[in-house]
């Protein structure tokens, strides 16, 4: 135990304040961890698939979020248990890496843990289980490569991409208008994609939302929107062929960083100071005007006087624009961000075909649209919806769809969805298990069973008989040697996912299996949990 | 093997059936709360704030009531949210949207109890909402071409909206006010150009629409009280001490005489500024910031009317209506646009003196002066008028009009009912339920008026079985009447927004099968 004896037989303590800690060891520790992991997976299980339910989360401040995005649920769940936190991490890393399949990966890990529990009870050493899982996951990933299909798409033929995005969106609340949203996402990704290098910079896609209107009013803007209005109410609301000066210095007298004082002790000083101040404002505006700018976008505020001078010289301006937006504007218009008035030159101005102010609803909400930019690579998806929660959820859904489209551009291999890939892998792993000599055989077989749990959950959520449906599909796959059969969640009438056009990305699926296996291995290897007991 | 707690100590988790029940109960409780305010005979609520002064608000505006509630139930929060959005988007129908969403959930609860999966209910509701919208679309009236008729449509809508509010006694008068004000906007939805000034005293009937602009300010001492053909300079500039804006500047002197010198210089500076302003050839100067006594005196000497401390909205509106621009520097008088108006005079409303600008350049702006017995009355009157103005300005843009008094609900319910009969499968139950929820609205209107709702709604349903029927509930006489004859109309845009938002909200709540509440954030004890 935590008590050891030195060479003279005196006890010394390794763990400090031992009685204040609870400690779980060996099999008990593993089982406790497994049950925690399973508990998390159980929460997400009902959110899987097109008929999955949503979760309502109330944050510590009382705000309500309704979502079925696995990563979001886990993020906001206020998890305390360490192992449960690992599962949260798992879903998050899937979110960062792939962006979609965050629920699936947790369900998968939960199933693996459940299977491991049975094996532990039969006395198989956790390390052997972990090794078996590792081998099985390799087989599954290879098998996925095998059954994956490449498809072709180009800037003109976006249909396959749209179909895949639709699969992602169909499990969200926005599935009512998944087709337009999928099209918007694909178009957005394609317009910022670098098809040569097969790379997509998602930072160039801004997702903005405004409460009100219908979900159908969601639009893709080839340009940028800024949630600001002109600094002076009487400035023009629309500017054609704008030349934009992007400034990060305020229209105010300079504030040197070093501490200083200007002492006024005579009348002359007072007057010169005043003149200088006036000249200063004048110079600033004049500089912008000199380089030919027709719109000033500034990160900081304006002094009243500067504001009027700008207005007076017909130079529309926008103030208090956030840093991120400023960068996007710079990218989109091909301008440079200028930190000092002295450095303003005509080359550094950004160009946009049309800048306009648009107002919404009965309140005074106004937004600035910057369109037809010199570099049209930056786009904005502008979401409208009935309420704030709807907009937030749509944002998350669009994010998923964007990630899927990006993954396809990176790697155009797909597998079929609806659980068909999992079933096919399960069959392959099961078959391979029998050939493997050694205790790992059991673990490999268990892995195959765990793979079945995803289609099983899909069937369950869709109101089908899970076991019956799964076994029927499985036998059909083996009989016809066709890996495209999956669970018919939407009650369309066919099991062939190719006909239903349900696709998922290959890398997404592979990543799911690899990540889930990794986490499960990590959890299995823990045999001692020391935690401070309740205080 | 005990399963350890996954969540933090104070966090709670409700699953499946219990989660659903919790959201149903919350949503239905909210619905029942605002239900009684629906319709022309709806009752008002008194809201007492917990803040300092325990202010009291009397209202029957759904959005206002819900906004002031402190609610813990997450599903109820969703409903409050849609009511707010309805307020922002179309301005009216804030109660109806909550009531409809609540009724949809009430029906859904029954269906869930009958073992129908929420997803099936959702897909049924969706089909039904689409069908209802189409049914309504077929019966809309669009009088865009005929200006005369359109104006009477607007009148009817305004009256219908106002009839459920405190202004119902004088709805004729106020409807006329609202329509006139909105017609002046000429199609823009910028309600900022309509200014509402509340002055306690007099009766509601004394409220009036003024075509000019009224500023709730006093004219400086010794300055002219009446100016004809005014040239106005609207400014936002410091007229007190005119600080040096260069950072870190300060005055440091070593003798009294120097202080006097600098004071003199400052005065000189102010005098110069005033001279510059007067050099614009103006006879009225409106500033957002304070004007100190000294410059005020200078203005008075020059015979210029100077108004100080007009608030931000005030000067923006003034600049808008007089066509001037807001100036902050005065060095090039030739290029500053001045505002013009025919006459500036001081007028008295009740006990207060106000400044009245009439004959302004922009014909769009106008001011509505509300009079009433008490502040509560005026606040509520303003809210009601605001609702009416919102609806009217939306209707000017989307000129489609439907009848009111429960007529649209019955038309939709009939179409949805028919659809339910044609739909095979479990969905048809949900579609039927949707139609029942729609009928609940006329039922509530009748109930609130103390009428026999069961009888009336049955009559109404029978009437609606005929083609092209215009029947609705006539609350005044307590019977079924022809809505077209009674002149009760509503804006199609409002009805559509109610239908779609309510369905969306109900769907959102139905999809939930688990509620996870995080531990409330600990407030740090401030000593």
């Amino acid at each position: 135990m935590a008590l050891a004896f030195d060479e003279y037989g005196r006890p010394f303590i390794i763990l400090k304040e031992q009685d204040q800690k609870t400690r779980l060891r060996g099999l008990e520790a593993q089982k406790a961890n497994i049950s925690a992991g399973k508990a998390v997976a159980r929460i997400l299980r009902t959110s899987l698939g097109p008929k999955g339910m949503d979760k309502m989360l109330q944050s510590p401040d009382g705000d309500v979020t309704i979502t079925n995005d696995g990563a979001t649920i886990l993020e906001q769940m206020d998890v305390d248990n360490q192992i449960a936190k690992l599962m949260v991490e798992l879903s998050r890393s899937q979110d960062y890496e792939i962006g979609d399949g965050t629920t699936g990966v947790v369900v998968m890990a939960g199933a693996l843990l459940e299977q491991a529990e049975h094996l532990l009870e039969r006395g198989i050493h956790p390390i052997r289980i972990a090794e078996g899982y590792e081998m099985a996951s390799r087989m599954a990933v290879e098998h996925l490569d095998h059954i994956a299909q490449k498809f072709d798409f180009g800037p003109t033929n976006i249909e396959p991409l749209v179909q895949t995005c639709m699969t992602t969106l169909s499990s969200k609340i926005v599935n009512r208008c998944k087709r337009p949203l999928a099209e918007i996402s694909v178009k957005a990704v394609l317009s910022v994609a670098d098809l040569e290098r097969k790379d997509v910079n998602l930072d160039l896609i801004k997702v903005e939302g405004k409460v009100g209107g219908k979900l159908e009013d969601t639009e893709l803007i080839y340009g940028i929107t800024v949630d600001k209005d002109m600094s002076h109410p009487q400035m023009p609301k629309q500017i054609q062929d704008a030349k934009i000066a992007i400034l990060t210095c305020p229209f105010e007298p300079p504030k040197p960083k070093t501490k200083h004082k200007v002492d006024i002790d005579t009348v002359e000083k007072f007057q010169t100071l005043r003149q200088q101040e006036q000249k200063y404002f004048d110079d600033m505006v004049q500089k912008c005007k000199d380089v030919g700018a027709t719109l000033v976008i500034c990160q900081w505020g304006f002094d009243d006087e500067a504001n009027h001078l700008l207005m007076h010289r017909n130079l529309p301006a926008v103030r208090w624009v956030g840093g991120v937006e400023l960068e996007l504007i710079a990218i989109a218009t091909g301008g440079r961000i200028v930190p000092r008035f002295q450095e303003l030159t005509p080359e550094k101005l950004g160009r946009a075909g049309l800048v306009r102010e648009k107002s919404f609803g009965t309140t005074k909400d106004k937004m600035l649209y910057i369109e037809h930019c010199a570099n049209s690579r930056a786009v904005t998806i502008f979401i409208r919806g009935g309420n704030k929660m709807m907009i937030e959820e749509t944002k998350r859904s669009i994010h998923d769809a964007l990630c899927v489209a990006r993954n396809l551009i990176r790697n155009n291999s797909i597998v079929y969805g609806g659980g068909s890939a999992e079933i096919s892998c399960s069959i392959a792993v099961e078959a391979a298990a029998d050939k493997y000599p050694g205790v790992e055989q059991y673990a490999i077989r268990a892995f195959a069973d765990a793979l079945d749990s995803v289609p099983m959950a899909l069937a369950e959520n869709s109101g089908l008989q899970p076991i019956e449906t799964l076994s029927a599909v499985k036998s059909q796959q083996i009989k016809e040697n066709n890996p495209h059969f999956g669970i018919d969640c939407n009650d369309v009438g066919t099991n062939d996912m190719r006909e239903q056009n349900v696709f998922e990305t290959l890398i997404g699926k592979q990543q799911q299996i690899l990540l889930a296996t990794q986490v499960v291995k990590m959890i299995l290897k823990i045999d001692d949990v020391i935690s401070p007991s309740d205080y | 093997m005990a399963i350890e707690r996954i969540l933090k100590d104070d966090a709670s988790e409700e699953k499946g059936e219990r989660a659903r029940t919790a959201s149903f109960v919350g949503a239905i409780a909210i619905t029942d709360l605002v239900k009684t305010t629906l319709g022309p005979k709806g009752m008002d609520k008194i809201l007492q704030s917990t803040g300092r002064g325990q202010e009291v608000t009397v209202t029957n505006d759904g959005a206002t009531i819900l906004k002031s509630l402190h609610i813990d139930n997450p599903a109820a929060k969703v409903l409050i949210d849609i009511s707010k959005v309805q307020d922002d988007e179309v301005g009216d129908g804030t109660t109806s949207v909550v009531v409809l969403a609540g009724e949809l959930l009430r029906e859904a609860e029954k269906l869930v109890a009958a073992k129908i999966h929420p997803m099936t209910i959702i897909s049924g509701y969706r089909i039904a909402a689409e069908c209802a919208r189409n049914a309504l679309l077929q019966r809309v009236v669009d009088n865009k071409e005929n200006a005369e008729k359109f104006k009477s449509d607007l009148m009817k809508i305004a009256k219908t909206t106002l009839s459920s509010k405190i202004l119902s006694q004088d709805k004729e008068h106020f409807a006329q006010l609202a329509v006139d004000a909105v017609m002046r906007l000429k199609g823009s939805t910028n309600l900022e150009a309509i200014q509402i000034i509340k002055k306690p005293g007099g009766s509601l009937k004394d409220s009036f629409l003024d075509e000019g602009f009224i500023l709730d300010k006093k004219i400086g001492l010794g300055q002219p009280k009446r100016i004809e053909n005014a040239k106005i300079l609207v400014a936002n500039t410091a007229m007190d001490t005119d600080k040096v804006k260069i950072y870190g500047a300060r005055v440091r002197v070593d003798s009294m005489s120097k202080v006097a010198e600098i004071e003199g210089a400052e005065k000189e500076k102010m005098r110069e500024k005033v001279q510059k302003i007067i050099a614009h050839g103006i006879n009225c100067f409106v500033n957002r910031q304070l004007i100190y006594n000294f410059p005020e005196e200078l203005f008075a000497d020059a015979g210029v009317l100077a108004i100080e401390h007009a608030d931000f909205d005030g000067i923006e509106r003034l600049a808008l209506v007089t066509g001037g621009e807001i100036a902050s520097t005065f060095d090039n008088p030739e290029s500053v646009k001045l505002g013009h108006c025919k006459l500036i005079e001081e007028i008295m409303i009740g006990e207060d003196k106000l400044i009245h600008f009439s004959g302004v350049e922009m014909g769009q702006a106008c001011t509505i002066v509300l009079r009433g017995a008490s502040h509560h009355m005026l606040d509520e009157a303003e809210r009601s008028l605001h609702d009416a103005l919102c609806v009217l300005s939306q209707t000017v843009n989307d000129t489609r009009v439907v009848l009111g008094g429960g007529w649209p609900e019955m038309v939709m319910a009939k179409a949805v009912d028919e659809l339910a009969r044609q739909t095979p499968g479990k969905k048809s139950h949900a579609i039927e339920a949707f139609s029942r929820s729609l009928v609940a609205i006329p039922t509530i209107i009748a109930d609130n008026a103390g009428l026999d709702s069961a009888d009336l709604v049955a009559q109404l349903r029978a009437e609606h079985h005929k083609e092209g029927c215009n029947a609705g509930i006539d609350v005044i006489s307590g019977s079924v009447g022809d809505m077209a004859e009674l002149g009760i109309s509503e804006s199609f845009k409002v009805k559509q927004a109610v239908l779609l938002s309510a369905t969306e909200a109900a769907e959102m709540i139905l999809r939930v099968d688990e509620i996870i509440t995080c531990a409330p954030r600990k407030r740090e004890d401030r000593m």
Side-chain angles (χ1 to χ4, degrees):
Chain A
M1 287 300 242
L3 214 58
F5 298 94
D6 62 8
E7 62 260 48
Y8 306 108
R10 282 183 306 224
F12 67 87
I13 292 163
I14 299 172
L15 269 178
K16 226 173 135 191
E17 294 164 29
Q18 201 185 109
D19 47 342
Q20 284 182 25
K21 305 227 193 294
T22 52
R23 193 167 176 201
L24 287 172
R25 307 195 70 208
L27 204 54
E28 210 153 294
Q30 271 142 359
K31 283 198 174 166
N33 292 341
I34 286 172
S35 75
K38 266 165 58 190
V40 174
R42 212 165 33 231
I43 292 175
L44 288 193
R45 201 178 154 93
T46 51
S47 286
L48 200 70
K51 294 278 169 85
M53 305 294 277
D54 288 0
K55 308 274 175 258
M56 193 182 260
L57 301 153
Q58 199 168 16
S59 83
D61 298 323
D63 299 331
V64 178
T65 311
I66 298 180
T67 181
N68 77 0
D69 181 49
T72 315
I73 298 172
L74 290 177
E75 200 111 318
Q76 304 204 351
M77 226 170 64
D78 223 0
V79 166
D80 204 22
N81 185 293
Q82 296 307 316
I83 300 299
K85 275 187 187 152
L86 271 183
M87 301 293 265
V88 176
E89 286 285 325
L90 167 70
S91 148
R92 197 179 302 156
S93 56
Q94 174 84 10
D95 193 29
Y96 285 162
E97 196 56 34
I98 305 296
D100 187 31
T102 49
T103 315
V105 70
V106 176
V107 172
M108 177 82 206
L112 284 174
L113 285 172
E114 199 171 335
Q115 294 295 336
E117 197 175 6
H118 295 313
L119 295 179
L120 283 173
E121 266 164 20
R122 295 165 81 172
I124 299 177
H125 194 270
I127 297 294
R128 303 299 282 273
I129 301 175
E131 267 166 25
Y133 276 1
E134 179 70 36
M135 266 181 258
S137 74
R138 235 177 292 136
M139 285 174 212
V141 170
E142 263 166 40
H143 182 72
L144 280 177
D145 263 331
H146 192 60
I147 61 167
Q149 289 186 337
K150 298 239 175 227
F151 66 29
D152 291 320
F153 61 87
T156 46
N157 176 23
I158 59 167
E159 189 54 31
L161 287 176
V162 175
Q163 291 285 358
T164 320
C165 287
M166 273 166 66
T167 310
T168 307
L169 291 176
S170 63
S171 66
K172 315 282 179 191
I173 197 168
V174 294
N175 62 4
R176 184 157 44 94
C177 55
K178 61 181 171 186
R179 174 91 212 177
L181 286 181
E183 271 171 22
I184 286 175
S185 315
V186 171
K187 278 185 196 152
V189 169
L190 278 180
S191 63
V192 303
D194 189 343
L195 290 177
E196 299 283 293
R197 283 197 305 123
K198 293 195 168 186
D199 192 23
V200 184
N201 185 0
L202 284 186
D203 286 344
L204 292 175
I205 303 177
K206 201 170 145 214
V207 183
E208 275 281 336
K210 194 121 209 158
V211 176
K214 298 193 294 287
L215 200 54
E216 284 82 359
D217 298 336
T218 302
E219 54 178 345
L220 177 68
I221 297 159
Y222 289 98
I224 308 251
T225 57
V226 186
D227 200 351
K228 290 278 174 304
D229 50 1
M230 295 292 181
S231 64
H232 197 288
Q234 285 159 326
M235 284 176 178
K237 307 277 182 236
Q238 193 161 353
I239 304 157
Q240 300 278 354
D241 291 322
K243 293 197 186 105
I244 306 170
I246 305 161
L247 298 172
T248 53
C249 45
F251 269 91
E252 272 164 17
K255 287 182 184 167
K257 300 232 164 49
T258 46
K259 256 198 165 169
H260 73 293
K261 281 176 197 146
V262 182
D263 283 344
I264 303 171
D265 49 11
T266 60
V267 176
E268 291 77 48
K269 274 195 185 166
F270 180 73
Q271 271 159 353
T272 40
L273 203 62
R274 213 182 96 209
Q275 273 155 14
Q276 266 188 356
E277 182 191 298
Q278 261 174 358
K279 193 166 162 300
Y280 194 83
F281 282 127
D282 224 41
D283 281 355
M284 284 193 291
V285 178
Q286 197 53 44
K287 273 198 188 105
C288 298
K289 202 74 190 162
D290 283 346
V291 294
T294 53
L295 174 70
V296 178
I297 290 179
C298 184
Q299 196 174 8
W300 304 101
F302 305 159
D303 192 87
D304 291 343
E305 281 186 56
N307 201 1
H308 176 247
L309 279 174
L310 284 168
M311 153 78 194
H312 198 191
R313 308 237 170 121
N314 285 324
L315 197 58
V318 186
R319 56 182 155 183
W320 297 122
V321 178
V324 184
E325 281 153 334
L326 210 64
E327 264 172 43
L328 267 176
I329 293 172
I331 294 172
T333 59
R336 296 270 293 277
I337 297 177
V338 182
R340 265 184 289 276
F341 286 99
Q342 288 79 5
E343 288 168 18
L344 211 54
T345 57
E347 299 85 63
K348 286 181 180 168
L349 297 181
R351 270 152 227 278
L354 179 68
V355 178
R356 63 196 166 102
E357 205 180 87
K358 199 177 169 186
S359 56
F360 299 97
T362 59
T363 43
K364 338 183 216 174
D365 272 348
K366 280 177 191 148
M367 289 195 74
L368 207 63
Y369 283 50
I370 303 175
E371 287 172 298
H372 309 298
C373 301
N375 174 2
S376 65
R377 296 263 310 274
V379 295
T380 304
I381 297 175
F382 189 58
I383 300 170
R384 308 298 313 275
N387 54 45
K388 203 171 72 217
M389 285 162 227
M390 193 75 187
I391 299 238
E392 289 300 313
E393 179 67 0
T394 313
K395 268 189 190 170
R396 283 188 286 270
S397 312
I398 294 258
H399 165 80
D400 283 8
L402 290 175
C403 290
V404 167
R406 177 192 62 175
N407 293 339
L408 280 176
I409 286 172
R410 279 198 186 151
N411 180 352
N412 63 351
S413 306
I414 50 145
V415 291
Y416 289 92
S420 67
E422 282 87 354
I423 298 174
S424 171
C425 281
S426 151
I427 295 169
V429 172
E430 180 96 53
D434 294 340
K435 296 187 195 117
Y436 196 86
V439 190
E440 283 89 350
Q441 194 189 87
Y442 285 87
I444 297 173
R445 207 169 281 145
F447 191 90
D449 285 341
L451 277 171
D452 282 345
S453 71
V454 173
M456 193 99 90
L458 273 180
E460 220 171 291
N461 291 346
S462 315
L464 302 168
Q465 292 287 338
I467 299 175
E468 204 174 294
T469 320
L470 180 64
S471 50
V473 173
K474 212 169 188 178
S475 74
Q476 205 176 0
Q477 275 211 7
I478 295 175
K479 218 184 288 163
E480 298 181 27
N481 199 14
N482 180 352
H484 304 154
F485 290 113
I487 309 288
D488 179 16
C489 299
N490 288 326
D491 215 14
V492 180
T494 168
N495 279 337
D496 194 335
M497 290 297 133
R498 196 169 10 190
E499 277 171 39
Q500 283 205 19
N501 282 329
V502 179
F503 310 120
E504 281 178 76
T505 55
L506 171 67
I507 34 177
K509 202 68 338 154
Q510 283 179 333
Q511 193 75 21
Q512 265 187 6
I513 294 179
L514 289 176
L515 279 176
T517 316
Q518 247 174 44
V519 168
V520 169
K521 264 169 66 187
M522 197 181 341
I523 295 176
L524 282 176
K525 278 188 179 171
I526 302 169
D527 76 334
D528 200 340
V529 180
I530 304 167
S531 51
S533 60
D534 297 335
Y535 40 87
Chain B
M1 188 80 250
I3 294 178
E4 287 178 44
R5 279 189 67 87
I6 303 284
L7 300 165
K8 282 199 179 132
D9 278 350
D10 289 337
S12 68
E13 187 187 354
E14 280 176 77
K15 284 191 163 181
E17 213 48 48
R18 283 193 54 190
R20 216 165 277 137
T21 317
S23 22
F24 285 146
V25 168
I28 290 170
I30 286 290
T31 313
D32 288 342
L33 184 78
V34 291
K35 193 159 109 170
T36 53
T37 64
L38 198 71
K41 294 276 169 91
M43 304 301 273
D44 289 2
K45 308 263 175 239
I46 285 189
L47 308 167
Q48 189 167 29
S49 81
T50 48
R52 214 170 33 161
Q54 311 256 305
E55 269 174 66
V56 170
T57 316
V58 184
T59 183
N60 81 358
D61 180 43
T64 313
I65 298 172
L66 293 177
K67 238 181 270 178
S68 354
L69 291 176
H70 297 284
I71 297 256
D72 205 32
N73 187 300
K77 279 190 183 153
V78 175
L79 289 188
I80 293 179
D81 208 42
I82 56 165
S83 154
K84 267 187 210 157
V85 172
Q86 179 85 8
D87 195 27
D88 287 349
E89 268 296 295
V90 286
D92 193 28
T94 48
T95 314
S96 317
V97 70
V98 175
V99 171
L100 184 58
E103 289 303 326
L104 283 174
L105 286 173
R106 201 193 297 271
E107 290 295 335
E109 191 182 11
K110 285 180 211 155
L111 291 178
V112 170
K115 296 270 180 279
I116 292 179
H117 196 265
M119 283 296 169
T120 317
I121 304 178
I122 288 172
S123 63
Y125 276 5
R126 271 189 198 166
I127 301 172
E130 196 51 42
C131 159
R133 200 173 83 96
N134 288 336
L136 203 56
L137 256 179
Q138 278 171 9
R139 301 288 303 268
V140 293
V141 184
D142 192 345
N143 283 331
K144 196 161 47 182
E145 310 303 326
N146 188 338
E148 201 49 42
K149 262 196 177 158
F150 180 55
K151 200 161 178 207
S152 85
D153 272 351
L154 284 183
M155 246 342 250
K156 284 181 200 159
I157 293 176
K159 268 194 272 177
T160 312
T161 307
L162 292 173
S163 66
S164 64
K165 307 282 154 85
I166 202 167
L167 299 178
S168 62
Q169 290 306 314
D170 310 299
K171 64 181 173 192
E172 197 77 34
H173 180 64
F174 280 99
Q176 194 64 47
L177 274 185
V179 171
D180 283 349
V182 169
M183 289 308 266
R184 289 176 72 89
L185 290 179
K186 298 188 184 77
S188 99
T189 50
N190 185 6
L191 292 179
E192 275 173 65
I194 302 176
Q195 193 193 15
I196 298 181
I197 289 183
K198 297 175 281 185
K199 283 280 162 207
S203 77
L204 277 175
K205 267 223 173 68
D206 297 334
S207 309
F208 61 94
L209 176 85
D210 195 280
E211 302 200 343
F213 180 82
I214 291 177
L215 200 63
D216 194 355
K217 285 283 166 288
K218 288 198 181 65
I219 294 180
L221 263 183
Q223 290 164 350
K225 299 272 184 253
R226 181 187 160 91
I227 295 178
E228 276 176 44
N229 285 329
K231 292 195 206 81
I232 308 161
L233 180 67
V234 187
N236 175 14
T237 186
M239 291 301 278
D240 38 12
T241 48
D242 212 2
K243 294 179 281 289
V244 177
K245 283 173 188 155
I246 289 173
Y247 185 69
R250 61 173 188 176
V251 178
R252 173 176 261 175
V253 288
D254 42 20
S255 69
M256 283 306 281
S257 60
K258 287 228 170 108
V259 174
E261 272 172 36
I262 286 179
E263 205 188 332
E266 225 170 52
K267 238 179 186 166
E268 197 51 45
K269 185 183 165 194
M270 185 51 74
R271 194 190 299 276
E272 257 174 50
K273 192 167 182 180
V274 172
Q275 290 306 337
K276 270 189 206 155
I277 291 169
I278 295 171
H280 284 70
I282 54 163
N283 46 20
C284 174
F285 175 73
V286 184
N287 191 12
R288 187 169 86 81
Q289 299 174 23
L290 282 174
I291 303 179
Y292 270 22
N293 288 356
F294 176 62
E296 192 178 326
E297 198 184 307
L298 294 175
F299 281 122
D301 286 347
V304 172
L305 177 67
I307 300 162
E308 64 164 1
H309 216 225
D311 52 60
F312 206 78
D313 280 353
I315 58 159
E316 269 189 27
R317 269 201 206 111
L318 191 62
L320 189 74
V321 296
T322 58
E325 64 185 40
I326 301 171
S328 294
T329 56
F330 310 98
D331 290 326
N332 348 33
E334 63 286 344
S335 59
V336 171
K337 265 201 274 168
L338 298 178
H340 293 278
C341 79
K342 294 255 160 55
L343 179 70
I344 301 177
E345 60 180 343
E346 202 175 49
I347 52 168
M348 298 271 289
I349 298 179
E351 284 189 330
D352 296 315
K353 286 181 190 163
L354 303 169
I355 303 168
H356 182 219
F357 298 75
S358 56
V360 290
E361 269 187 2
M362 291 254 292
Q364 295 190 0
C366 57
T367 303
I368 294 176
V369 179
L370 286 179
R371 308 298 311 276
S374 70
H375 274 292
H376 300 152
M377 189 89 164
L378 285 174
D379 286 344
E380 177 65 0
E382 189 191 359
R383 275 192 291 274
S384 317
L385 202 57
H386 173 255
D387 279 7
L389 290 174
C390 285
V391 174
L392 288 177
S393 67
Q394 294 294 335
T395 318
V396 171
N397 282 351
D398 184 344
T399 52
R400 287 172 292 182
V401 171
V402 293
L403 295 176
W407 177 85
E409 283 81 10
M410 292 311 290
V411 168
M412 290 193 277
K414 189 184 161 202
V416 172
D417 244 350
E418 234 145 67
L419 178 77
R421 261 175 256 150
Q422 291 158 11
T423 314
K426 281 186 199 168
K427 273 181 212 159
S428 78
H429 292 287
I431 300 174
E432 225 180 312
F434 195 93
S435 131
R436 275 201 297 278
S437 318
L438 284 170
V439 177
I441 290 195
T443 314
I444 294 170
I445 294 181
D447 273 340
N448 285 349
L451 304 172
D452 183 355
S453 63
D455 180 43
L456 268 179
V457 172
Q459 272 184 43
L460 201 57
R461 195 194 289 264
E463 281 291 320
H464 269 267
H465 214 65
K466 297 174 203 151
E467 273 307 308
C469 147
N470 290 334
I473 292 181
D474 179 3
V475 176
I476 312 299
S477 70
S479 62
V480 171
D482 188 328
M483 290 295 119
E485 269 170 31
L486 288 167
I488 297 177
S489 298
E490 280 180 78
S491 154
F492 170 69
K493 199 169 172 192
V494 173
K495 272 283 151 227
Q496 174 182 292
V498 167
L499 183 73
L500 296 183
S501 315
T503 318
E504 215 166 70
E507 184 183 316
M508 211 158 188
I509 295 173
L510 271 175
R511 278 177 71 105
V512 171
D513 77 333
E514 184 153 340
I515 300 175
I516 298 170
T517 314
C518 292
R521 195 178 298 275
K522 296 266 186 313
R523 304 234 178 267
E524 279 164 37
D525 279 329
R526 294 209 186 88
M527 295 304 284

